[in-house]
Amino acid sequence: MLQGITRASVQMVERYLPDAFVLVLILTLVVFGGGMLIEGHGPVAMAAFWGEGFWNLLSFAMQMVLILVSGFVVASTPIFKKLLQALARMANTPGQGIVLVTVVSLFAAWVNWGFGLVIGALFARELARCLPNLDYRLAIASAYSGFMVWHGGLSGSVPLVIATEDHFTVDMIGVIPTSETIFSVMNLGIVLGLFIVVPLVNWMIMPSKEDTVTVDPAKLVEEEEEVTETANTPSTRLENSMVLSIASGVLGMVYVLYYIFGTDGGLNLNIVNFTLIFVGILLHGRPSQFLASVKKAVNGASGIIIQFPFYAGIMGMMVGSGLAVTLSNAFVDISSAQSLPFFTFLSAGIVNMFVPSGGGQWAVQAPIMLEAGRALGVDPARTAMAVAWGDTWTNLIQPFWALPALAIAGLSAKDIMGFCLIVLVASGVVIGLGLTFLP
């Protein structure tokens, strides 16, 4: 029965879900119209909100391009390829492969969201080489499904923000340590539940043999063939100089060690990108090989480059028009002390479809949800984590975050979202129960 539901979900998504860029254009028009019909703004005002927000994610977009490029560069090194191959050989059947890639992705995303975005998709590609009968769409969907735990993990933006002195809601809730958020019984219980349920669901929704869509392993290998040059001139000798790679790579690693042991800086996207870049330089050994790998990775970054500004514009309209506040208040109005965390989770999931940024969403919803929680006597740490889990939950059906994984896989959003929709329902039950009933 579950296979039948999954088949229907996949067919529906393949038929009706447009390309990710077309979808962001549709979302833009929906929010533009909503701001006029619901909030009463004129078209000029909505256009102003949109245009003023359009470039607000430029630095973040560059970070996302670099996480794609740097992750691909490291994974294309001979050493890392052998590690992925050894790990992939642990799976002897497609079912084992689906479970393994889900668990690896869940763990990587819990440690750091940027690393998790890339490692799961790269590992899924390697599994597709080793298991010719593996459904490639489901493998990538399983890899992406692991990303959903990031906001309950070590790099979760909401729990890290409220654990920082002088954060913008400190007058309302004070400083809340991560022992009450990331490492609380409630949060760890949700994470554990997802580590059990998500791999199981991905295994259960495996397509039948006749519905399985595979990829030619030889094609994946050909896409990553290394380019070598003959060093017969001074310039090509420099381009193939191991001394230059080792010297710059060591310099980068010195800074990484200094950052870890000599500063109070936490794990963030910048240091992850920095580390991956210089690890890639070291492991490739020659500048020419490093640059050849970068060139292949950049070819897949077009979706990120062009779509992120449109999502920034949508965020500008949602915040500037007041739509995000109106939506949040609608859920607050029907909440009680027992149900507020659950309804906060649902509202955050909906807002995330239009404001796909954990920090940006928290800035919009925090004053509303925290004030409602204070009035109803709800622990602010629970309210904050409800927003965090809502933000990460609907990432499963939001192409914004899937773009790096899709670029690595060479797939489109419609190839994986049918599977992700099933995981969305199952994981929503786990998270909702945890927020409502776990201590």
Side-chain angles (χ1 to χ4, degrees):
M1 182 179 68
L2 188 55
Q3 281 189 340
I5 295 173
T6 304
R7 186 186 304 111
S9 175
V10 170
Q11 291 174 348
M12 178 187 69
V13 169
E14 289 178 345
R15 182 175 178 84
Y16 294 106
L17 182 67
D19 179 81
F21 179 66
V22 175
L23 179 60
V24 75
L25 295 181
I26 294 172
L27 290 176
T28 298
L29 295 178
V30 168
V31 175
F32 186 87
M36 291 190 294
L37 295 175
I38 298 174
E39 301 298 336
H41 294 286
V44 175
M46 291 302 298
F49 295 141
W50 179 65
E52 290 167 1
F54 199 79
W55 303 115
N56 286 345
L57 290 179
L58 273 182
S59 60
F60 181 62
M62 185 60 182
Q63 288 176 320
M64 294 299 292
V65 169
L66 283 176
I67 197 66
L68 168 63
V69 171
S70 60
F72 185 94
V73 165
V74 170
S76 65
T77 61
I79 292 177
F80 204 86
K81 282 181 179 179
K82 291 179 180 178
L83 289 174
L84 285 179
Q85 289 168 1
L87 188 59
R89 283 195 292 269
M90 295 174 61
N92 298 316
T93 66
Q96 292 177 2
I98 292 300
V99 171
L100 184 59
V101 71
T102 307
V103 172
V104 168
S105 181
L106 283 164
F107 178 76
W110 189 83
V111 172
N112 180 268
W113 68 266
F115 187 62
L117 268 178
V118 174
I119 191 63
L122 293 170
F123 184 48
R125 283 171 57 96
E126 192 58 48
L127 281 168
R129 294 193 187 106
C130 298
L131 298 169
N133 295 324
L134 181 70
D135 190 295
Y136 190 50
R137 305 164 305 166
L138 179 57
I140 298 300
S142 299
Y144 182 59
S145 68
F147 176 64
M148 68 174 303
V149 301
W150 81 271
H151 222 148
L154 301 181
S155 62
S157 59
V158 170
L160 293 182
V161 164
I162 62 178
T164 305
E165 293 185 6
D166 299 325
H167 63 88
F168 72 94
T169 55
V170 69
D171 292 338
M172 298 178 66
I173 60 176
V175 176
I176 300 178
T178 55
S179 60
E180 297 180 24
T181 53
I182 296 174
F183 299 105
S184 67
V185 172
M186 176 199 69
N187 189 67
L188 292 178
I190 292 173
V191 171
L192 178 60
L194 293 174
F195 264 79
I196 296 171
V197 170
V198 175
L200 180 62
V201 170
N202 284 334
W203 173 73
M204 293 175 65
I205 63 177
M206 286 179 57
S208 61
K209 186 176 180 180
E210 56 270 20
D211 292 331
T212 297
V213 176
T214 61
V215 64
D216 184 1
K219 180 180 178 181
L220 297 177
V221 173
E222 290 171 1
E223 289 175 355
E224 296 189 5
E225 287 179 353
E226 294 186 2
V227 177
T228 58
E229 294 186 22
T230 303
N232 55 10
T233 67
S235 63
T236 55
R237 281 194 290 270
L238 286 173
E239 291 165 4
N240 288 279
S241 171
M242 294 186 67
V243 174
L244 286 177
S245 288
I246 293 173
S248 58
V250 168
L251 179 61
M253 289 300 98
V254 168
Y255 175 74
V256 171
L257 292 175
Y258 164 75
Y259 180 88
I260 294 173
F261 298 106
T263 72
D264 296 328
L267 190 64
N268 57 50
L269 196 56
N270 285 335
I271 194 62
V272 169
N273 275 329
F274 188 93
T275 303
L276 289 175
I277 287 171
F278 285 95
V279 167
I281 291 174
L282 278 173
L283 294 183
H284 274 288
R286 303 178 190 277
S288 60
Q289 293 179 355
F290 174 79
L291 290 175
S293 181
V294 168
K295 184 181 293 186
K296 294 175 184 177
V298 169
N299 288 336
S302 59
I304 298 173
I305 293 170
I306 196 61
Q307 290 180 47
F308 273 42
F310 281 88
Y311 277 110
I314 291 172
M315 288 172 58
M317 289 191 290
M318 285 289 292
V319 176
S321 69
L323 272 173
V325 172
T326 298
L327 179 61
S328 299
N329 280 328
F331 281 91
V332 169
D333 290 342
I334 60 174
S335 298
S336 63
Q338 179 71 16
S339 64
L340 180 65
F342 177 71
F343 283 121
T344 298
F345 162 66
L346 289 182
S347 70
I350 296 173
V351 171
N352 179 60
M353 297 298 295
F354 303 95
V355 187
S357 166
Q361 182 168 342
W362 178 241
V364 173
Q365 289 196 279
I368 305 163
M369 296 307 181
L370 290 175
E371 178 58 29
R374 185 198 62 77
L376 294 172
V378 178
D379 181 8
R382 185 177 292 266
T383 302
M385 291 311 296
V387 173
W389 279 111
D391 165 77
T392 194
W393 178 50
T394 48
N395 285 337
L396 282 169
I397 54 173
Q398 168 53 271
F400 178 89
W401 291 105
L403 289 173
L406 294 171
I408 291 170
L411 297 177
S412 65
K414 67 175 64 178
D415 292 319
I416 70 168
M417 290 300 170
F419 299 106
C420 291
L421 185 59
I422 305 299
V423 180
L424 178 84
V425 175
S427 60
V429 173
V430 174
I431 299 169
L433 290 174
L435 289 169
T436 304
F437 297 108
L438 287 178

